[in-house]
Short mmCIF file of all heavy atoms in Angstrom, two decimals:
data_model
loop_
_atom_site.label_atom_id
_atom_site.label_comp_id
_atom_site.label_asym_id
_atom_site.label_seq_id
_atom_site.Cartn_x
_atom_site.Cartn_y
_atom_site.Cartn_z
N GLY A 1 189.49 121.64 67.97
CA GLY A 1 190.18 121.09 69.12
C GLY A 1 191.21 120.06 68.79
O GLY A 1 191.47 119.75 67.61
N SER A 2 191.84 119.51 69.86
CA SER A 2 192.90 118.54 69.71
C SER A 2 192.55 117.29 70.54
O SER A 2 191.80 117.38 71.52
CB SER A 2 194.24 119.12 70.18
OG SER A 2 194.62 120.18 69.37
N LEU A 3 193.14 116.20 70.15
CA LEU A 3 192.92 114.96 70.81
C LEU A 3 194.10 114.04 70.56
O LEU A 3 194.72 114.11 69.48
CB LEU A 3 191.65 114.28 70.31
CG LEU A 3 190.97 113.25 71.14
CD1 LEU A 3 190.52 113.82 72.48
CD2 LEU A 3 189.74 112.69 70.37
N ARG A 4 194.46 113.23 71.55
CA ARG A 4 195.53 112.25 71.36
C ARG A 4 194.98 110.85 71.64
O ARG A 4 194.46 110.57 72.72
CB ARG A 4 196.72 112.54 72.27
CG ARG A 4 197.93 111.64 71.93
CD ARG A 4 199.14 111.93 72.79
NE ARG A 4 198.98 111.30 74.14
CZ ARG A 4 200.02 111.12 74.95
NH1 ARG A 4 201.23 111.50 74.59
NH2 ARG A 4 199.82 110.55 76.13
N LEU A 5 195.12 109.99 70.63
CA LEU A 5 194.74 108.60 70.82
C LEU A 5 195.97 107.77 71.10
O LEU A 5 197.06 108.09 70.69
CB LEU A 5 194.10 108.07 69.51
CG LEU A 5 192.88 108.85 68.99
CD1 LEU A 5 192.32 108.15 67.73
CD2 LEU A 5 191.82 109.04 70.02
N SER A 6 195.74 106.70 71.86
CA SER A 6 196.81 105.77 72.20
C SER A 6 196.52 104.40 71.63
O SER A 6 195.33 104.00 71.55
CB SER A 6 197.00 105.65 73.70
OG SER A 6 197.33 106.90 74.25
N CYS A 7 197.55 103.69 71.26
CA CYS A 7 197.44 102.35 70.82
C CYS A 7 198.47 101.49 71.57
O CYS A 7 199.65 101.61 71.32
CB CYS A 7 197.68 102.21 69.30
SG CYS A 7 197.75 100.53 68.66
N GLU A 8 198.00 100.72 72.49
CA GLU A 8 198.90 99.91 73.33
C GLU A 8 199.06 98.54 72.67
O GLU A 8 198.11 97.84 72.36
CB GLU A 8 198.34 99.74 74.74
CG GLU A 8 199.27 98.96 75.67
CD GLU A 8 198.74 98.88 77.08
OE1 GLU A 8 197.72 99.56 77.39
OE2 GLU A 8 199.30 98.12 77.89
N VAL A 9 200.31 98.18 72.44
CA VAL A 9 200.65 96.93 71.76
C VAL A 9 201.14 95.92 72.79
O VAL A 9 201.99 96.23 73.61
CB VAL A 9 201.72 97.16 70.68
CG1 VAL A 9 202.07 95.86 70.00
CG2 VAL A 9 201.26 98.23 69.71
N SER A 10 200.61 94.69 72.72
CA SER A 10 201.04 93.67 73.63
C SER A 10 201.20 92.38 72.87
O SER A 10 200.72 92.21 71.74
CB SER A 10 200.05 93.47 74.78
OG SER A 10 198.79 93.13 74.31
N GLY A 11 201.89 91.41 73.46
CA GLY A 11 202.13 90.12 72.83
C GLY A 11 203.44 90.05 72.09
O GLY A 11 203.92 88.97 71.76
N ALA A 12 204.06 91.18 71.81
CA ALA A 12 205.35 91.24 71.18
C ALA A 12 205.81 92.69 71.23
O ALA A 12 204.99 93.61 71.41
CB ALA A 12 205.28 90.78 69.71
N THR A 13 207.11 92.87 71.07
CA THR A 13 207.58 94.26 71.01
C THR A 13 207.19 94.81 69.64
O THR A 13 207.13 94.10 68.65
CB THR A 13 209.11 94.34 71.19
OG1 THR A 13 209.72 93.62 70.13
CG2 THR A 13 209.52 93.75 72.51
N MET A 14 206.96 96.09 69.59
CA MET A 14 206.50 96.66 68.36
C MET A 14 207.66 97.15 67.47
O MET A 14 207.46 97.74 66.42
CB MET A 14 205.55 97.85 68.60
CG MET A 14 206.14 98.99 69.39
SD MET A 14 204.90 100.25 69.75
CE MET A 14 205.96 101.55 70.37
N ASN A 15 208.87 96.85 67.92
CA ASN A 15 210.03 97.28 67.13
C ASN A 15 210.12 96.65 65.74
O ASN A 15 210.83 97.21 64.87
CB ASN A 15 211.34 96.96 67.88
CG ASN A 15 211.46 97.76 69.16
OD1 ASN A 15 210.74 98.74 69.37
ND2 ASN A 15 212.39 97.35 70.03
N SER A 16 209.43 95.56 65.52
CA SER A 16 209.48 94.92 64.23
C SER A 16 208.21 95.18 63.40
O SER A 16 208.05 94.59 62.34
CB SER A 16 209.60 93.41 64.39
OG SER A 16 210.78 93.07 65.07
N TYR A 17 207.39 96.11 63.88
CA TYR A 17 206.11 96.28 63.21
C TYR A 17 205.91 97.74 62.80
O TYR A 17 206.20 98.68 63.56
CB TYR A 17 204.97 95.91 64.15
CG TYR A 17 204.91 94.41 64.41
CD1 TYR A 17 205.67 93.86 65.42
CD2 TYR A 17 204.09 93.61 63.63
CE1 TYR A 17 205.61 92.49 65.67
CE2 TYR A 17 204.07 92.24 63.87
CZ TYR A 17 204.80 91.71 64.89
OH TYR A 17 204.77 90.35 65.13
N GLY A 18 205.40 97.91 61.60
CA GLY A 18 204.87 99.18 61.22
C GLY A 18 203.47 99.30 61.82
O GLY A 18 202.73 98.32 61.90
N ILE A 19 203.14 100.48 62.31
CA ILE A 19 201.83 100.71 62.94
C ILE A 19 201.09 101.77 62.12
O ILE A 19 201.59 102.85 61.85
CB ILE A 19 201.97 101.20 64.36
CG1 ILE A 19 202.79 100.21 65.21
CG2 ILE A 19 200.60 101.43 64.99
CD1 ILE A 19 202.15 98.88 65.46
N GLY A 20 199.90 101.40 61.74
CA GLY A 20 199.04 102.31 60.96
C GLY A 20 197.78 102.68 61.72
O GLY A 20 197.34 101.97 62.61
N TRP A 21 197.28 103.85 61.38
CA TRP A 21 196.00 104.32 61.91
C TRP A 21 195.01 104.42 60.72
O TRP A 21 195.35 105.00 59.70
CB TRP A 21 196.15 105.67 62.60
CG TRP A 21 196.83 105.63 63.91
CD1 TRP A 21 198.18 105.80 64.14
CD2 TRP A 21 196.27 105.40 65.18
NE1 TRP A 21 198.45 105.70 65.48
CE2 TRP A 21 197.29 105.47 66.17
CE3 TRP A 21 194.95 105.16 65.65
CZ2 TRP A 21 197.06 105.27 67.52
CZ3 TRP A 21 194.71 105.01 67.02
CH2 TRP A 21 195.76 105.06 67.95
N PHE A 22 193.81 103.91 60.96
CA PHE A 22 192.76 104.00 59.97
C PHE A 22 191.51 104.53 60.69
O PHE A 22 191.44 104.49 61.94
CB PHE A 22 192.45 102.59 59.42
CG PHE A 22 193.55 102.03 58.62
CD1 PHE A 22 194.66 101.46 59.22
CD2 PHE A 22 193.51 102.00 57.21
CE1 PHE A 22 195.72 100.92 58.47
CE2 PHE A 22 194.54 101.48 56.46
CZ PHE A 22 195.62 100.95 57.10
N ARG A 23 190.55 104.98 59.93
CA ARG A 23 189.33 105.45 60.52
C ARG A 23 188.15 105.10 59.61
O ARG A 23 188.28 104.94 58.41
CB ARG A 23 189.35 106.97 60.78
CG ARG A 23 189.38 107.79 59.53
CD ARG A 23 189.57 109.27 59.87
NE ARG A 23 189.61 110.10 58.65
CZ ARG A 23 189.91 111.40 58.66
NH1 ARG A 23 190.23 112.01 59.81
NH2 ARG A 23 189.90 112.09 57.54
N GLN A 24 186.97 105.00 60.28
CA GLN A 24 185.76 104.69 59.51
C GLN A 24 184.62 105.50 60.06
O GLN A 24 184.27 105.42 61.23
CB GLN A 24 185.45 103.19 59.64
CG GLN A 24 184.28 102.78 58.75
CD GLN A 24 184.14 101.27 58.69
OE1 GLN A 24 184.57 100.53 59.54
NE2 GLN A 24 183.51 100.77 57.60
N ALA A 25 184.00 106.30 59.16
CA ALA A 25 182.85 107.06 59.47
C ALA A 25 181.60 106.24 59.14
O ALA A 25 181.68 105.33 58.29
CB ALA A 25 182.83 108.34 58.70
N PRO A 26 180.48 106.53 59.77
CA PRO A 26 179.24 105.75 59.50
C PRO A 26 178.88 105.79 58.01
O PRO A 26 178.89 106.84 57.39
CB PRO A 26 178.18 106.47 60.34
CG PRO A 26 178.94 107.11 61.43
CD PRO A 26 180.27 107.49 60.84
N GLY A 27 178.63 104.61 57.46
CA GLY A 27 178.23 104.54 56.09
C GLY A 27 179.36 104.63 55.06
O GLY A 27 179.11 104.55 53.85
N LEU A 28 180.56 104.79 55.53
CA LEU A 28 181.72 104.96 54.60
C LEU A 28 182.69 103.80 54.81
O LEU A 28 182.72 103.11 55.81
CB LEU A 28 182.41 106.29 54.83
CG LEU A 28 181.58 107.55 54.59
CD1 LEU A 28 182.39 108.78 54.88
CD2 LEU A 28 181.03 107.57 53.20
N GLU A 29 183.56 103.66 53.79
CA GLU A 29 184.64 102.65 53.89
C GLU A 29 185.67 103.09 54.90
O GLU A 29 185.90 104.32 55.12
CB GLU A 29 185.30 102.51 52.54
CG GLU A 29 184.41 102.05 51.40
CD GLU A 29 184.30 100.54 51.38
OE1 GLU A 29 185.33 99.87 51.61
OE2 GLU A 29 183.20 100.02 51.10
N ARG A 30 186.34 102.15 55.46
CA ARG A 30 187.47 102.48 56.36
C ARG A 30 188.59 103.05 55.49
O ARG A 30 188.82 102.58 54.36
CB ARG A 30 187.94 101.23 57.07
CG ARG A 30 188.97 101.52 58.14
CD ARG A 30 189.03 100.40 59.18
NE ARG A 30 189.30 99.09 58.61
CZ ARG A 30 189.26 97.98 59.33
NH1 ARG A 30 188.98 98.02 60.61
NH2 ARG A 30 189.51 96.81 58.76
N GLU A 31 189.23 104.11 56.00
CA GLU A 31 190.28 104.78 55.22
C GLU A 31 191.53 104.91 56.02
O GLU A 31 191.52 105.01 57.28
CB GLU A 31 189.79 106.16 54.78
CG GLU A 31 189.52 107.14 55.90
CD GLU A 31 189.17 108.53 55.36
OE1 GLU A 31 189.18 108.75 54.15
OE2 GLU A 31 188.91 109.43 56.22
N PHE A 32 192.62 104.98 55.31
CA PHE A 32 193.92 105.14 55.92
C PHE A 32 194.09 106.58 56.41
O PHE A 32 193.62 107.53 55.80
CB PHE A 32 194.99 104.84 54.87
CG PHE A 32 196.41 105.19 55.27
CD1 PHE A 32 197.10 104.42 56.13
CD2 PHE A 32 197.00 106.34 54.76
CE1 PHE A 32 198.40 104.73 56.52
CE2 PHE A 32 198.25 106.68 55.13
CZ PHE A 32 198.96 105.90 56.00
#
């Protein structure tokens, strides 16, 4: 299947920021 996640940024415009996604499965390290 497919899924779309959203990341809403507030407090500043995101034009000056790189945005990364990471994930963490149970018992594992967080990964890029």
Side-chain angles (χ1 to χ4, degrees):
S2 297
L3 200 60
R4 188 179 78 163
L5 306 183
S6 299
C7 173
E8 184 177 349
V9 180
S10 60
T13 62
M14 62 183 190
N15 293 346
S16 299
Y17 291 86
I19 303 293
W21 287 92
F22 294 78
R23 66 187 181 188
Q24 186 169 23
L28 298 179
E29 299 274 323
R30 188 158 57 186
E31 64 176 358
F32 170 77

